[in-house]
Amino acid sequence: GIRLADGTEVEAKLGVVCGANPIDLVWELTGPECWSDDVPRKVKNIERDYIAIAWYTWALKERPVYKAEAFNPDLKDSLFINLSRKGLDAMEKEIHRRLAGEWPDPEDFNLVPINSFMFAHDTFAPPGDFATVLTEQWILPATSYPENEWKEIASRHADEIIAFWEKYCPNVTWDNVIGYTPVTPYFTAKHAPNFGPQGNWCVIDMDGPQIGRFRPIPELADLRNFPIKDLYPCSAAWHPYGGAMSMQGRWVYKIIAEKNGLTLPPEKEWTRMVDSAIRTGRV
């Protein structure tokens, strides 16, 4: 089971479901001596610097009106919009700058506005022309700057977003802004420790050897045969990939249910396809 900070022990009946990231699980919650071979070394080397996102929520006096609505009026009803220069070189430039530890070029952002107010207007914005919009932009991880610099960066990046956004939406200026909430990788790391000191939005990166049947490392990806008996890691850092969804929880419960004769979750065609893909390693 588990022992809480105050000494209370909670006995596990069927197993322990753990949402911690693999680094904390191996090096803090259990200890490297509990693991065989070179698992602690591989876990310590897991990559988690790359998925660093600035997540800003904007309260606007009126919704963004895009220039492109002149020839594509349906754009005003789009939930997700990607603002970027044409050509793969724009993405390559941004990626290379971030891998080199350089801030993305504000003239060459790949900004994603998400029209939150379209979900439920009464909930996300008051009646009238008011709107709330979430913007996403890849930046650098929290470990790139000290705390005092992140405070300045949070404000500076807001100016960068408005200047870039205005190119596509002339009415998105500071005069249209009621207020905004900046969520930087530093903010994420400070308030969600499981995301690591980098503030990684998928907890660990989603590159080749850290996704699908290899996530987070091959030795820890098979939850049916996990190295520590009846321990079931289950969160965005674990098999099969990162994200806030029910897939990991359903997969873990199904393993526990099959092992202990519990009621299995309802089967539908799409769930059978997903289960089969995960089991055979196609995901």
Side-chain angles (χ1 to χ4, degrees):
I2 59 174
R3 182 181 296 112
L4 305 181
D6 64 2
T8 303
E9 293 187 357
V10 181
E11 181 184 358
K13 299 295 192 298
L14 302 179
V16 173
V17 178
C18 179
N21 67 61
I23 298 92
D24 289 349
L25 176 63
V26 170
W27 285 91
E28 300 292 337
L29 294 181
T30 57
E33 69 279 358
C34 297
W35 304 85
S36 61
D37 302 326
D38 56 351
V39 166
R41 178 187 63 82
K42 288 186 176 181
V43 165
K44 182 175 282 189
N45 289 328
I46 284 176
E47 296 179 356
R48 47 180 178 166
D49 285 334
Y50 189 64
I51 304 180
I53 302 173
W55 224 51
Y56 281 44
T57 300
W58 301 85
L60 305 177
K61 298 174 184 176
E62 61 180 21
R63 73 163 183 89
V65 180
Y66 290 88
K67 293 179 181 178
E69 291 182 33
F71 60 86
N72 183 7
D74 291 339
L75 191 64
K76 70 179 186 301
D77 298 319
S78 297
L79 179 59
F80 284 76
I81 300 172
N82 190 85
L83 306 179
S84 176
R85 181 169 52 80
K86 286 184 177 181
L88 287 177
D89 64 303
M91 185 178 295
E92 291 174 356
K93 178 182 177 182
E94 181 193 80
I95 290 171
H96 291 156
R97 284 180 68 98
R98 289 194 294 117
L99 289 176
E102 298 178 7
W103 190 263
D105 185 351
E107 297 293 323
D108 234 1
F109 276 172
N110 287 295
L111 187 73
V112 178
I114 303 170
N115 295 318
S116 312
F117 65 91
M118 293 178 59
F119 285 111
H121 199 286
D122 292 341
T123 303
F124 284 85
D129 296 328
F130 298 106
T132 54
V133 181
L134 173 70
T135 59
E136 294 186 353
Q137 171 64 41
W138 297 88
I139 57 173
L140 296 176
T143 49
S144 299
Y145 304 98
E147 179 178 6
N148 61 323
E149 285 193 44
W150 272 114
K151 293 179 179 179
E152 185 274 327
I153 289 170
S155 176
R156 187 191 74 207
H157 187 51
D159 288 325
E160 294 175 343
I161 293 173
I162 293 296
F164 184 80
W165 204 354
E166 187 182 359
K167 296 178 182 178
Y168 300 84
C169 297
N171 72 322
V172 176
T173 65
W174 279 112
D175 289 337
N176 190 13
V177 176
I178 300 171
Y180 69 95
T181 300
V183 177
T184 63
Y186 174 80
F187 181 96
T188 303
K190 192 82 170 178
H191 292 84
N194 198 42
F195 286 51
Q198 296 85 351
N200 189 303
W201 270 84
C202 284
V203 186
I204 67 173
D205 289 344
M206 298 255 287
D207 50 17
Q210 293 182 187
I211 193 170
R213 58 180 175 174
F214 301 118
R215 187 174 180 88
I217 63 172
E219 292 86 344
L220 302 184
D222 184 0
L223 302 186
R224 294 182 185 276
N225 299 288
F226 201 69
I228 295 181
K229 183 181 178 182
D230 297 328
L231 176 60
Y232 303 98
C234 174
S235 70
W238 298 86
H239 178 78
Y241 56 87
M245 60 196 69
S246 60
M247 178 181 291
Q248 292 94 341
R250 183 183 182 278
W251 181 238
V252 164
Y253 174 76
K254 189 169 183 180
I255 293 173
I256 296 174
E258 290 175 346
K259 184 176 180 180
N260 295 280
L262 304 178
T263 302
L264 292 171
E267 287 285 351
K268 297 181 180 179
E269 183 58 31
W270 71 268
T271 58
R272 283 194 292 270
M273 292 172 60
V274 171
D275 286 343
S276 174
I278 292 175
R279 185 178 297 110
T280 57
R282 296 199 304 273
V283 173

